[in-house]
Amino acid sequence: MSTHLFGLTDRTFSYSHSVGRNEFAGTGFRNPVDMALGADDIVYVINRAYENRPDGVRVTVCTLNEEYVTEFGSYGEGDGQFIWPSSIALDKDENIYISDEWLNRITVFDSNGEFVSKWGEQGSAQGQLDGPAGLAISGSSIYVSDSRNNRVQKFSLDGQFESSFGESGDGSGQFNMPWGIGLDSSGNIYVTDWRNDRIQQFDQSGKWQATFGTPGTAVGQFNRPNSVSVDKDGDIYVSDWLNDRIQVLAPDGRFITQLTGDHMLSQWGKDKMISNPDMIRQRQLAITHSSDFDKNFSHPTAVKVNTDGQVVVLDSTRGRLQIYTKNTEPVLI
Amino acid sequence: MANNDIALMTHLLRRAGFGASRAEVESRAAQGYESTVEELLNPNDHPGIEEDLLFRYQPAYNEPAAIETNVQQWMYYMINNPRQLQEKVALFWHMIFCAGHSKIDSGQEMGLMIKMFRENGMGNFRDLLMLLSTSPGMIYYLDNSESHKTAVNENYGRELLELFSMGVGKDEEFNYSEDDVKACARAFTGWNIAPSYPPFPYGRSAWEFRFDPADHDESDKTFLGQTGNWNGEDILDMVCGQPATARFVARHLYNYFVADEVPVPSWRQTPPKDPELIEALEAAYFESNYDITAMLRVLFNSESFKNARYTKVKNPAEMVVSTLRLVGDHQDIKPGLFEISQEPKYMGMDLMNPPTVEGWHTGHEWIDSGTLVERINFASDYLGQTNLPGVKGIVDRLMSEGETISPKQFVDGCLDLVGQLQVTDETYGELVSHAEREGDLTHKSDTEQQDFVRRSGEMLQMIAATSEYQFG
């Protein structure tokens, strides 16, 4: 008997578990748009919520093992508040940086969620922002995808302009509303070129190196990709937002696999349901009718990887994280 | 460009949409009336809302769950959808095929129903009735989910005939009998909803139609004089072929787009206000095999429609959306739509939640002492904001009339630029009298410009408070 393996074969992923549920406060998330992974399995999730439920705009802090830690931030224009929070990043001391694409500013919190400072002003001149969307921190610098200015700007952590790259367009090194930013271990910069439906790779100086993807639904194609991360092997993870999937690409951009969701009820989900027998029955009947709704991603807004080989997907509309493990050995399923 | 071309185009865009800026009116007038009508009637030939942008900035609008979010999303569409007639038609069907959140208790289902009206409301009426009859929200709202082979609930069957297709009667005759209602309801037994996910912990799944053959009455039924083992689809075929249905759809289109008719319960005894146009609409219905777009083509190109300017009381959604389009607010995606989305409710129209299956009482019944205050306050508040792009455009245009303009020219210009508003002599006299208190308007110096802007804002607010502004 022969074994047929076609192409890239040594990377497989197994669903591990889920964290969270839809909530406007406490143990859950509501229309989360980004997350950051910290030390000790801590995850910070920023919630956009609804306009008519501003109480849901906040940062939820919990662990990948579904232990609730705290929450901070609120809706508004004051210090430590947000209108449209869009991205989150951590520095080496685990200070927290959050962009707001309505207020055009970056707010800095300490690791306890206490407001430290804010910086940024609206405009298109060098160092000004118009719709800061994605963030990524490298040492003492922070990259900001300045979406409506179609560029990536690099600042010091206290907001001093350092450099920028990109302009409006669909050629190499040009952008149409860039969103997510990821960095690899060599300091290369990956940007989800959102409205061009592609990923672009730049070196540390902002020089274009490669482009991955075209518009579409086939493998290696994207429909408004919004988040990108790179693991220690150089594999690239892209949340393919309107295709409701995560695509995994090899360092050279070749397609490896896609994740579409494998959810099993989280502990917080069980806690919510356990006292409501009618909903338990309704859920069971619904699963019998169709299990796809429950399992599949719905508009994933972020994907992050950690050094333990965990791939964390922010499954936005369902208000949960789905966590996968990158296997080192073949796994019998 | 002739003033009557502008006035006619303003009228068309006010009725077949929610109004337009003066620049768009002039551009459309240059394009020509019939050509514009054709463009409105073929919305899918043109780009619609950029949903990717909308969902990016308002992620809750992507698969919206809460009723408030669904109403906000619809409000955004009404203000900004370039396919304006689609939105106007979606509102039209929502006001006839009434289902409401107060019973359905799912904002998502209400939003999906409006989406169905938006996407199919200008198509084939038989197809639309099929979508309505298989709409899980409507099935639940009118209790068809509780209608079983062994225990028939007549609610959907009755309303399908009375309120959604044939109407009680025409030309003083009854269109169907109680036995027809019973047969109709039996034909729709087994039309039900598949199990769906509960709201917790991850949000509801969209409800899905499911036919249960074991719960369907397979016995013979006599409906409108024909006997057979009819199911719901057979009923729709028979209903759509009735002259009564053609009359019913035609009168509703007339009532919504042309002029206020008598209330629906009076239609059996009261002949149409404009029998000639109704007849033409009925003919278009049959000639096109029940195509709503074909009926709208006849309607918009009729002289009755062209001459029916400012004869209809704006419904609250029209009042809010047309005012926002005039002043140019919320044309970008920005915070604040929740407050806006509540305004029609304050004026008596709780969108996605009509008072009963019979819908809202329209025409002059939109106005009472409370709702009138809401309407005037809303419109005058926005028209007085001279920093808004639409208002600023009106002021700039007024200034372009000359270095000095008289109070009378000023009033004429303001009335013209809010949509060629026609006012009574009395109203006109009061507006001119107010303008005359401060004399001619000039805009040479900064101070004069500031005064010009202030006086424009005040005059626009006064116009928004006239009884004439209540009409569309």
Side-chain angles (χ1 to χ4, degrees), chain A residues 197 216-218 220-227 238-247 258 299-300 303:
Chain A
D197 293 319
T217 58
Q221 294 187 319
F222 300 104
N223 190 354
R224 303 298 186 261
N226 56 355
S227 172
V238 180
S239 58
D240 189 6
W241 185 47
L242 292 183
N243 281 334
D244 290 320
R245 65 183 177 183
I246 304 298
Q247 291 199 63
Q258 65 179 9
H299 318 120
V303 56

Side-chain angles (χ1 to χ4, degrees), chain A residues 52-109:
Chain A
N52 53 300
R53 288 297 304 268
D55 53 318
V57 178
R58 70 203 193 282
V59 180
T60 306
V61 187
C62 62
T63 72
L64 292 176
N65 298 314
E66 211 167 17
E67 294 156 357
Y68 176 74
V69 178
T70 187
E71 62 187 14
F72 64 89
S74 59
Y75 187 81
E77 297 189 12
D79 289 348
Q81 293 188 308
F82 320 106
I83 298 292
W84 285 355
S86 53
S87 183
I88 181 168
L90 308 176
D91 68 16
K92 62 181 171 43
D93 299 320
E94 216 147 300
N95 292 307
I96 303 154
Y97 298 71
I98 296 177
S99 59
D100 188 315
E101 56 190 341
W102 177 255
L103 297 174
N104 291 300
R105 71 186 188 192
I106 313 297
T107 298
V108 186
F109 299 86

Side-chain angles (χ1 to χ4, degrees), chain B residues 56-72:
Chain B
R56 170 170 179 163
Y57 292 123
Q58 298 282 16
Y61 291 5
N62 200 348
E63 229 179 275
I67 184 65
E68 296 88 348
T69 314
N70 278 277
V71 177
Q72 285 169 55

Side-chain angles (χ1 to χ4, degrees), chain A residues 20 22 48 51-52 101 133 148 177 194-195 224 263 266 273 282 286-287 289-290 293-294 298-299 318, chain B residues 50 52-53 56-57 60 62-63 68 72 196-197 200-205 208 333-334 336-338:
Chain A
N22 269 323
R48 194 79 155 244
E51 196 168 300
N52 53 300
E101 56 190 341
R148 287 189 291 269
M177 300 194 69
W194 185 66
R195 268 197 145 182
R224 303 298 186 261
H263 170 77
S266 69
M273 297 290 282
Q282 188 182 347
I287 289 172
H289 174 64
S290 168
F293 174 85
D294 198 47
S298 181
H299 318 120
R318 303 281 172 266
Chain B
E50 294 180 298
D52 60 337
L53 275 181
R56 170 170 179 163
Y57 292 123
N62 200 348
E63 229 179 275
E68 296 88 348
Q72 285 169 55
S196 62
Y197 283 82
F200 303 123
Y202 304 113
R204 299 171 196 264
S205 56
E208 292 175 29
I333 305 164
K334 67 175 193 174
L337 212 52
F338 172 55

Side-chain angles (χ1 to χ4, degrees), chain B residues 8-71:
Chain B
L8 180 60
M9 188 55 67
T10 306
H11 170 65
L12 175 65
L13 298 178
R14 200 169 50 234
R15 293 286 177 87
F18 293 92
S21 68
R22 182 54 172 256
E24 182 180 347
V25 170
E26 289 177 353
S27 160
R28 297 280 198 180
Q31 178 185 340
Y33 185 86
E34 287 179 16
S35 165
T36 300
V37 167
E38 282 309 307
E39 197 173 313
L40 291 166
L41 292 174
N42 292 282
N44 294 330
D45 293 348
H46 307 280
I49 289 282
E50 294 180 298
E51 286 189 329
D52 60 337
L53 275 181
L54 183 62
F55 297 163
R56 170 170 179 163
Y57 292 123
Q58 298 282 16
Y61 291 5
N62 200 348
E63 229 179 275
I67 184 65
E68 296 88 348
T69 314
N70 278 277
V71 177

